[in-house]
Amino acid sequence: MLSRVRTTPFQSGRGPLSPGSRAGLGAAVALLALVSAMELADGEAAHYIALMVAAPLLAAGLASWWVVLGVGVLATGLGAGFALAEPKASLVSAVNVAGVALATGIAGAVAAVRQRQAEKIAELSRLAAVAQQAVLRPLGPQVGTLAVAARYISSTARAEIGGDLYEAMDTPYGVRMIIGDVRGKGLDAVRLASIVLGSYRHVAYERADLRAVVTDLDRAVARNVGDEDFVTAALVEERGGTLTIVNCGHPAPLLLRRGAVIPLEPPAPAPPLGFMPVVRPRVERLEPGDRLLLFTDGLGEARREGQFFPTADRAWRLLGHGTVADGLASLETALVEWVHGRLDDDIALVLMEYTGPSTGVTAAVPSWEVGAAES
């Protein structure tokens, strides 16, 4: 999904100048003005025409091709004017003027190629954003009885996108959430993330037991990956104040309670989806005001000068104030500041808050006991 700098796509038409074109035009005109002043101060002989070659080449690095050609025509015209103003025609001056004209053609071609590449990158970035948004639907601000917010932090401003995923839904078995991370990046990772989410959005409504949900997701992943591909995931269910978590090789969620931060490690480790995980649920009884942070491993791997971001140490101070959306905004700001704007991996974040049981809620029944309770 940290380089926070966004490149402004170059405009292909002849409308208002883009910032890059204005900068290139300004630099080129300043250079031509300087060279012209030097020629005028030097007398009637033309000694600096060759320096005007730099003007279109300088503009080619920033401006649109038609701006580059305009600068080149201006430079060629100025060079020809100084050459004609000499008392005696000079072959050197004529060659210099021809060189400026040739440089104009080359610079225009370079600018056109660069502009096409910039437009392709901008289009790829737009398509990547659309693909990411199609996979990751906006969450919150309320899912069932929980306040929920999600955030996706991209590690690059290019068209490269990752396979981090999340979802939260109000099902007959309580509010269910998933967060996961597909191994790899790019469109293959997004494709697999979409498969996992598509399967989850179906089976989360159909399976009473979270372990059965994991089994179905594992089958979906196994059918669509290679031998070395996998998906780490943590699945969470909140039912009447009882929190159930199953973990498939994913970073443990953090429970924030009364100023303390508690990592909710699984009772036993389980491999990622794609490797037939056998999970054991962890159960916690929630208290009003509890918050739960779900995150992908990009957060745990964020570091500067070899020091990892102290997520657990700073989680309560960053995430325990305001709304859940405010908390995630504070976490992102602190994270970006910690790594000086450069992340090695995308990060998905989901923060939920339990405000207390709603009216009419009966005693909590964990998901794996639903079938037994109903029989």
Side-chain angles (χ1 to χ4, degrees):
M1 53 152 204
L2 172 67
S3 173
R4 304 299 293 174
V5 178
R6 290 184 178 269
T7 54
T8 302
F10 293 90
Q11 296 182 4
S12 58
R14 298 196 180 189
L17 293 181
S18 67
S21 291
R22 287 197 296 269
L25 178 61
V29 169
L31 177 61
L32 290 177
L34 177 61
V35 174
S36 298
M38 292 169 57
E39 285 286 12
L40 292 173
D42 192 51
E44 295 181 346
H47 295 136
Y48 304 108
I49 295 177
L51 295 178
M52 294 183 178
V53 169
L57 296 178
L58 178 62
L62 297 170
S64 302
W65 64 267
W66 58 274
V67 173
V68 173
L69 291 182
V71 169
V73 169
L74 177 61
T76 303
L78 287 173
F82 285 120
L84 293 174
E86 291 184 302
K88 183 178 180 180
S90 169
L91 178 60
V92 173
S93 296
V95 170
N96 287 339
V97 172
V100 174
L102 178 61
T104 297
I106 295 173
V110 170
V113 172
R114 176 193 51 74
Q115 186 175 332
R116 282 197 297 270
Q117 291 176 339
E119 290 169 352
K120 288 180 180 179
I121 292 174
E123 180 65 12
L124 286 174
S125 297
R126 187 187 68 82
L127 292 176
V130 170
Q132 198 78 59
Q133 292 170 4
V135 173
L136 300 179
R137 301 185 300 194
L139 298 186
Q142 195 78 18
V143 180
T145 60
L146 301 178
V148 179
R151 213 167 183 93
Y152 190 96
I153 307 174
S154 176
S155 63
T156 175
R158 298 172 296 174
E160 188 176 3
I161 50 180
D164 292 18
L165 58 96
Y166 53 75
E167 181 61 286
M169 300 181 298
D170 189 10
T171 75
Y173 310 105
V175 176
R176 286 181 165 179
M177 293 180 283
I178 184 174
I179 190 162
D181 191 357
V182 177
R183 179 181 180 271
K185 289 182 176 290
L187 293 179
D188 287 341
V190 174
R191 178 186 63 83
L192 183 53
S194 67
I195 291 172
V196 173
L197 285 176
S199 299
Y200 178 76
R201 287 162 181 160
H202 172 70
V203 299
Y205 284 94
E206 302 296 326
R207 304 296 188 190
D209 191 333
L210 280 182
R211 292 171 296 186
V213 175
V214 169
T215 300
D216 288 345
L217 294 180
D218 178 68
R219 291 171 181 166
V221 171
R223 287 193 296 265
N224 291 278
V225 298
D227 294 335
E228 298 182 356
D229 296 326
F230 56 84
V231 181
T232 67
L235 285 73
V236 177
E237 175 188 286
E238 185 279 320
R239 182 181 176 89
T242 296
L243 184 71
T244 305
I245 303 173
V246 293
N247 197 314
C248 304
H250 198 78
L254 299 180
L255 176 64
L256 285 69
R257 172 179 292 167
R258 299 193 302 270
V261 178
I262 308 168
L264 299 183
E265 300 288 350
L273 299 174
F275 292 116
M276 295 183 291
V278 178
V279 296
R280 290 180 57 190
R282 172 163 182 166
V283 182
E284 295 285 335
R285 185 65 184 174
L286 292 175
E287 300 176 3
D290 282 354
R291 290 188 174 186
L292 185 72
L293 175 66
L294 310 175
F295 57 94
T296 53
D297 59 6
L299 179 61
E301 295 172 357
R303 59 187 179 271
R304 67 178 182 193
E305 300 174 355
Q307 290 186 317
F308 291 95
F309 182 73
T311 304
D313 294 339
R314 302 179 66 180
W316 177 261
R317 183 173 49 173
L318 295 171
L319 299 171
H321 69 91
T323 66
V324 287
D326 294 335
L328 288 187
S330 297
L331 176 59
E332 180 179 2
T333 300
L335 179 65
V336 172
E337 181 181 355
W338 177 269
V339 299
H340 302 303
R342 301 186 61 169
L343 282 173
D344 296 327
D345 195 7
D346 294 353
I347 300 173
L349 303 169
V350 178
L351 183 63
M352 56 148 274
E353 178 178 0
Y354 176 67
T355 56
S358 60
T359 303
V361 173
T362 58
V365 180
S367 65
W368 66 92
E369 295 182 2
V370 169
E374 292 176 349
S375 61

